[in-house]
Amino acid sequence: GGLGPDLTGIGNRYSLRDLLENLIEPSKVISDQYESTQIDLQDGGVIVGRVMKEENGALMVAMNPLAPSDVVSVPVTTVATRKPYPISMMPPGLMNRLNEEEVLDLLAYLQSGGNPKDKAFAQ
């Protein structure tokens, strides 16, 4: 859905190193599909989120990645600047909660596409 990338076939598209890097440092490379925008307002306010669409003179901005359908309407006339936001919506440190076995299981799952008979699950 709108929360994150399609993981189907990710093990075929990325090396183990790239998978780990994306999990450990989610802000290192952010796909433009999931990039947030920093909107600086003329009154000094700042809004950060995904611009879902622009219509009728307003930006429709999803500020909460867990609720992408909740959007805020920002009149274009109130915007001073817009620029890509350099921090991923995927929070850093998610891997810190996992022990070694859980990390290995996650990597096996991603590499195998969820197929429990894949060689990635072999002990």
Side-chain angles (χ1 to χ4, degrees):
L3 291 178
D6 179 3
L7 299 179
T8 305
I10 197 167
N12 297 324
R13 295 191 314 257
Y14 294 97
S15 69
L16 180 58
R17 181 185 188 281
D18 290 338
L19 280 174
L20 277 169
E21 186 175 85
N22 287 325
L23 291 168
I24 294 168
E25 295 183 70
S27 294
K28 187 169 183 177
V29 177
I30 303 171
S31 167
D32 58 356
Q33 292 177 302
Y34 304 103
E35 179 178 75
S36 293
T37 300
Q38 178 175 324
I39 302 167
D40 298 313
L41 302 175
Q42 293 176 0
D43 68 4
V46 176
I47 294 175
V48 174
R50 280 190 67 207
V51 177
M52 304 305 280
K53 61 184 170 180
E54 184 173 346
E55 65 182 11
N56 301 324
L59 301 173
M60 305 308 286
V61 182
M63 296 171 53
N64 181 352
L66 298 177
S69 61
D70 293 345
V71 295
V72 173
S73 178
V74 180
V76 173
T77 57
T78 66
V79 175
T81 61
R82 290 168 60 174
K83 59 187 172 191
Y85 192 64
I87 299 172
S88 172
M89 290 187 292
M90 180 177 159
L94 289 177
M95 297 286 287
N96 297 346
R97 295 176 157 212
L98 304 179
N99 63 39
E100 181 180 354
E101 184 177 340
E102 291 168 329
V103 170
L104 293 173
D105 286 345
L106 174 61
L107 291 172
Y109 180 82
L110 292 172
Q111 287 184 306
S112 71
N115 177 2
K117 295 179 182 173
D118 189 275
K119 65 180 181 180
F121 286 107
Q123 292 277 337

